[in-house]
Coordinates of all heavy atoms in Angstrom, one line a residue:
D155 N 21.0 202.8 152.3 CA 20.0 203.5 151.4 C 20.0 205.0 151.9 O 19.9 205.9 151.0 CB 18.7 202.9 151.5 CG 18.6 201.6 150.8 OD1 19.5 201.3 150.0 OD2 17.6 200.8 151.1
E156 N 20.0 205.2 153.1 CA 20.0 206.6 153.7 C 21.3 207.4 153.3 O 21.2 208.6 152.9 CB 19.8 206.6 155.2 CG 19.8 208.0 155.8 CD 18.6 208.9 155.4 OE1 17.7 208.4 154.7 OE2 18.6 210.1 155.7
I157 N 22.4 206.7 153.4 CA 23.7 207.4 153.0 C 23.6 207.8 151.5 O 24.0 208.8 151.1 CB 24.8 206.4 153.3 CG1 25.1 206.3 154.7 CG2 26.1 206.9 152.6 CD1 26.1 205.3 155.1
T158 N 23.1 206.8 150.6 CA 22.9 207.2 149.2 C 22.0 208.3 149.0 O 22.3 209.2 148.2 CB 22.4 206.0 148.5 OG1 23.3 204.9 148.5 CG2 22.2 206.3 146.9
R159 N 20.9 208.4 149.8 CA 20.0 209.6 149.7 C 20.7 210.9 150.0 O 20.6 211.9 149.3 CB 18.8 209.3 150.5 CG 17.7 210.4 150.3 CD 16.6 210.2 151.4 NE 17.1 210.6 152.7 CZ 17.1 211.9 153.1 NH1 16.8 212.9 152.2 NH2 17.5 212.3 154.3
L160 N 21.5 210.9 151.1 CA 22.2 212.0 151.6 C 23.3 212.5 150.6 O 23.4 213.7 150.4 CB 22.8 211.8 153.0 CG 21.8 211.6 154.1 CD1 22.6 211.3 155.4 CD2 21.1 213.0 154.4
L161 N 24.0 211.5 150.0 CA 25.0 211.9 149.1 C 24.4 212.5 147.8 O 24.9 213.5 147.2 CB 25.7 210.7 148.6 CG 26.6 210.0 149.7 CD1 27.3 208.7 149.2 CD2 27.7 211.0 150.1
G162 N 23.1 212.1 147.4 CA 22.5 212.7 146.3 C 21.9 214.1 146.6 O 21.9 215.0 145.8
K163 N 21.6 214.3 147.9 CA 21.0 215.6 148.4 C 22.0 216.6 148.5 O 21.9 217.8 148.1 CB 20.3 215.3 149.7 CG 19.8 216.6 150.3 CD 19.2 216.3 151.7 CE 18.8 217.5 152.4 NZ 18.3 217.3 153.9
G164 N 23.2 216.3 149.1 CA 24.3 217.3 149.3 C 24.0 218.2 150.5 O 23.0 217.9 151.2
G165 N 24.7 219.2 150.6 CA 24.5 220.2 151.6 C 25.2 219.8 152.9 O 26.2 219.1 152.9
D166 N 24.8 220.3 154.0 CA 25.4 220.1 155.3 C 25.0 218.7 155.8 O 24.0 218.6 156.6 CB 24.9 221.2 156.3 CG 25.6 221.1 157.7 OD1 26.6 220.3 157.7 OD2 25.3 221.8 158.6
I167 N 25.8 217.6 155.5 CA 25.4 216.3 155.8 C 26.4 215.6 156.6 O 26.3 214.4 156.9 CB 25.1 215.5 154.5 CG1 26.3 215.4 153.6 CG2 23.9 216.1 153.8 CD1 26.2 214.5 152.4
G168 N 27.5 216.3 157.0 CA 28.6 215.6 157.6 C 28.2 214.9 158.9 O 28.5 213.7 159.2
K169 N 27.5 215.6 159.8 CA 27.1 215.0 161.1 C 26.2 213.8 160.9 O 26.3 212.8 161.6 CB 26.5 216.1 162.0 CG 27.4 217.2 162.5 CD 26.7 218.1 163.4 CE 27.7 219.2 163.9 NZ 27.0 220.1 164.8
R170 N 25.2 213.9 160.0 CA 24.3 212.8 159.7 C 25.1 211.6 159.2 O 24.8 210.5 159.6 CB 23.3 213.3 158.7 CG 22.2 212.2 158.3 CD 21.4 211.8 159.6 NE 20.4 210.8 159.1 CZ 19.8 210.0 160.0 NH1 20.0 210.1 161.3 NH2 18.9 209.2 159.6
L171 N 26.0 211.8 158.3 CA 26.8 210.7 157.8 C 27.6 210.1 158.9 O 27.8 208.8 158.9 CB 27.7 211.2 156.6 CG 27.1 211.5 155.2 CD1 28.1 212.1 154.3 CD2 26.4 210.3 154.7
D172 N 28.2 210.9 159.7 CA 29.0 210.3 160.8 C 28.2 209.4 161.7 O 28.6 208.3 162.1 CB 29.6 211.5 161.6 CG 30.6 211.0 162.6 OD1 31.6 210.3 162.3 OD2 30.4 211.3 163.8
F173 N 27.0 209.8 162.0 CA 26.0 209.0 162.8 C 25.7 207.7 162.1 O 25.8 206.6 162.7 CB 24.7 209.8 163.0 CG 23.7 209.0 163.7 CD1 23.7 208.6 165.0 CD2 22.6 208.5 162.9 CE1 22.7 207.8 165.6 CE2 21.6 207.7 163.5 CZ 21.7 207.4 164.8
L174 N 25.5 207.8 160.8 CA 25.2 206.5 160.1 C 26.3 205.6 160.0 O 26.1 204.4 160.0 CB 24.6 206.9 158.6 CG 23.2 207.5 158.6 CD1 23.0 208.1 157.2 CD2 22.1 206.6 159.0
I175 N 27.5 206.1 159.9 CA 28.7 205.3 159.8 C 28.9 204.6 161.2 O 29.2 203.4 161.2 CB 30.0 206.2 159.6 CG1 29.9 206.8 158.2 CG2 31.2 205.3 159.7 CD1 29.9 205.8 157.1
Q176 N 28.6 205.2 162.3 CA 28.6 204.6 163.6 C 27.6 203.4 163.7 O 27.9 202.3 164.2 CB 28.4 205.6 164.7 CG 29.4 206.6 164.8 CD 29.1 207.6 165.9 OE1 28.5 207.3 167.0 NE2 29.4 208.9 165.7
E177 N 26.4 203.6 163.1 CA 25.4 202.6 163.1 C 25.8 201.4 162.2 O 25.6 200.3 162.6 CB 24.0 203.2 162.6 CG 23.4 204.2 163.6 CD 23.1 203.6 164.9 OE1 22.4 202.6 165.0 OE2 23.6 204.1 165.9
L178 N 26.4 201.7 161.1 CA 26.9 200.7 160.2 C 27.9 199.8 161.0 O 27.9 198.6 160.9 CB 27.5 201.2 159.0 CG 26.6 201.8 157.9 CD1 27.4 202.3 156.7 CD2 25.7 200.7 157.3
H179 N 28.8 200.5 161.6 CA 29.8 199.7 162.4 C 29.2 198.8 163.5 O 29.7 197.7 163.7 CB 30.8 200.7 163.0 CG 32.1 200.1 163.4 ND1 32.4 199.5 164.6 CD2 33.3 200.0 162.7 CE1 33.6 199.0 164.7 NE2 34.2 199.3 163.5
R180 N 28.2 199.3 164.1 CA 27.5 198.6 165.2 C 26.9 197.3 164.6 O 27.0 196.2 165.1 CB 26.5 199.4 165.8 CG 25.7 198.7 167.0 CD 24.8 199.7 167.6 NE 25.5 200.9 168.1 CZ 24.9 202.1 168.4 NH1 23.6 202.2 168.1 NH2 25.6 203.0 168.8
E181 N 26.2 197.4 163.4 CA 25.6 196.3 162.8 C 26.6 195.3 162.4 O 26.3 194.1 162.5 CB 24.7 196.7 161.6 CG 23.6 197.8 162.0 CD 22.6 197.3 163.1 OE1 22.5 196.1 163.3 OE2 22.0 198.1 163.7
A182 N 27.7 195.7 161.8 CA 28.7 194.8 161.3 C 29.4 194.1 162.5 O 29.6 192.9 162.4 CB 29.8 195.6 160.5
N183 N 29.5 194.8 163.6 CA 30.1 194.2 164.8 C 29.1 193.0 165.3 O 29.6 191.9 165.8 CB 30.3 195.2 165.9 CG 31.7 195.8 165.9 OD1 32.6 195.1 165.3 ND2 31.9 196.9 166.4
T184 N 27.9 193.4 165.4 CA 26.8 192.4 165.9 C 26.8 191.2 165.0 O 26.7 190.1 165.4 CB 25.5 193.1 165.9 OG1 25.5 194.2 166.8 CG2 24.5 192.1 166.5
L185 N 26.8 191.4 163.7 CA 26.9 190.3 162.7 C 28.0 189.4 162.9 O 27.9 188.2 162.9 CB 26.9 190.9 161.3 CG 26.7 189.9 160.1 CD1 26.0 190.6 158.9 CD2 28.0 189.3 159.7
G186 N 29.2 190.0 163.2 CA 30.4 189.2 163.5 C 30.3 188.4 164.8 O 30.7 187.3 164.8
S187 N 29.7 189.1 165.8 CA 29.6 188.3 167.1 C 28.6 187.2 167.1 O 28.8 186.3 167.9 CB 29.3 189.4 168.2 OG 28.0 189.9 168.0
K188 N 27.6 187.3 166.2 CA 26.6 186.3 166.2 C 26.9 185.3 165.1 O 26.1 184.3 165.0 CB 25.2 186.9 165.9 CG 24.7 187.9 166.9 CD 23.5 188.6 166.6 CE 22.3 187.7 166.5 NZ 21.0 188.5 166.2
S189 N 28.0 185.4 164.4 CA 28.3 184.5 163.3 C 28.6 183.1 163.9 O 29.3 183.0 164.8 CB 29.6 185.1 162.6 OG 30.0 184.1 161.6
A190 N 28.1 182.1 163.1 CA 28.3 180.7 163.5 C 29.0 180.0 162.3 O 29.1 178.8 162.3 CB 27.0 180.0 163.7
A191 N 29.5 180.8 161.4 CA 30.2 180.2 160.3 C 31.4 181.1 159.9 O 31.3 182.4 160.0 CB 29.3 180.1 159.1
L192 N 32.5 180.5 159.4 CA 33.7 181.3 159.0 C 33.4 182.3 157.9 O 33.9 183.4 157.9 CB 34.8 180.3 158.6 CG 36.1 180.9 158.2 CD1 36.7 181.8 159.3 CD2 37.1 179.8 157.7
E193 N 32.5 181.9 157.0 CA 32.2 182.8 155.9 C 31.6 184.1 156.3 O 31.8 185.2 155.8 CB 31.4 182.1 154.8 CG 31.2 182.9 153.6 CD 30.5 182.1 152.4 OE1 30.3 180.9 152.6 OE2 30.3 182.6 151.4
L194 N 30.6 184.0 157.3 CA 30.0 185.1 157.8 C 31.0 186.0 158.6 O 30.9 187.3 158.6 CB 28.8 184.7 158.8 CG 27.4 184.7 158.2 CD1 26.4 184.2 159.2 CD2 27.1 186.0 157.5
T195 N 31.9 185.4 159.3 CA 33.0 186.2 160.0 C 33.7 187.0 159.1 O 34.1 188.1 159.3 CB 33.8 185.2 160.8 OG1 33.0 184.5 161.7 CG2 34.9 186.0 161.6
R196 N 34.1 186.3 157.9 CA 34.9 187.0 156.9 C 34.1 188.2 156.3 O 34.7 189.3 156.1 CB 35.3 186.1 155.8 CG 36.4 185.0 156.2 CD 36.5 184.1 155.1 NE 37.6 183.1 155.5 CZ 37.9 182.0 154.8 NH1 37.1 181.6 153.8 NH2 38.9 181.2 155.2
I197 N 32.8 188.0 156.1 CA 32.0 189.0 155.5 C 32.0 190.2 156.5 O 32.0 191.4 156.2 CB 30.5 188.6 155.2 CG1 30.6 187.6 154.0 CG2 29.6 189.7 155.0 CD1 29.3 187.0 153.7
S198 N 31.8 189.9 157.8 CA 31.8 190.9 158.9 C 33.1 191.8 158.9 O 33.1 193.0 159.0 CB 31.6 190.3 160.2 OG 31.7 191.3 161.3
V199 N 34.2 191.1 158.8 CA 35.5 191.8 158.7 C 35.6 192.7 157.5 O 36.1 193.8 157.7 CB 36.7 190.7 158.8 CG1 38.0 191.4 158.6 CG2 36.7 189.9 160.1
D200 N 35.3 192.1 156.4 CA 35.3 193.0 155.1 C 34.4 194.1 155.2 O 34.8 195.3 154.8 CB 34.9 192.1 153.9 CG 35.9 191.0 153.6 OD1 37.0 191.2 154.0 OD2 35.5 190.1 152.8
M201 N 33.2 194.0 155.9 CA 32.4 195.2 156.1 C 33.0 196.2 157.0 O 33.0 197.4 156.7 CB 31.0 194.7 156.7 CG 30.1 194.0 155.8 SD 28.5 193.6 156.7 CE 27.5 193.1 155.3
K202 N 33.6 195.8 158.0 CA 34.3 196.7 158.9 C 35.4 197.5 158.3 O 35.6 198.6 158.6 CB 34.7 196.0 160.3 CG 33.5 195.7 161.2 CD 34.0 195.2 162.5 CE 34.4 193.7 162.4 NZ 34.6 193.2 163.8
V203 N 36.2 196.8 157.4 CA 37.2 197.5 156.7 C 36.7 198.6 155.8 O 37.2 199.7 155.8 CB 38.0 196.5 155.8 CG1 39.0 197.3 154.9 CG2 38.8 195.5 156.7
L204 N 35.6 198.3 155.1 CA 34.9 199.3 154.2 C 34.4 200.5 155.0 O 34.5 201.6 154.7 CB 33.8 198.7 153.4 CG 34.3 197.6 152.3 CD1 33.1 196.9 151.7 CD2 35.1 198.3 151.2

Side-chain angles (χ1 to χ4, degrees):
D155 288 341
E156 178 64 9
I157 289 175
T158 296
R159 187 189 72 80
L160 290 174
L161 292 175
K163 173 186 175 184
D166 186 10
I167 61 174
K169 291 183 179 179
R170 179 62 178 165
L171 284 176
D172 186 58
F173 169 76
L174 289 170
I175 295 299
Q176 293 179 38
E177 293 300 304
L178 285 177
H179 198 273
R180 180 178 303 158
E181 302 303 340
N183 268 337
T184 304
L185 188 149
S187 65
K188 295 173 69 173
S189 173
L192 181 59
E193 189 170 356
L194 265 181
T195 300
R196 289 173 176 168
I197 288 175
S198 172
V199 171
D200 290 342
M201 282 183 171
K202 285 189 280 189
V203 170
L204 292 171

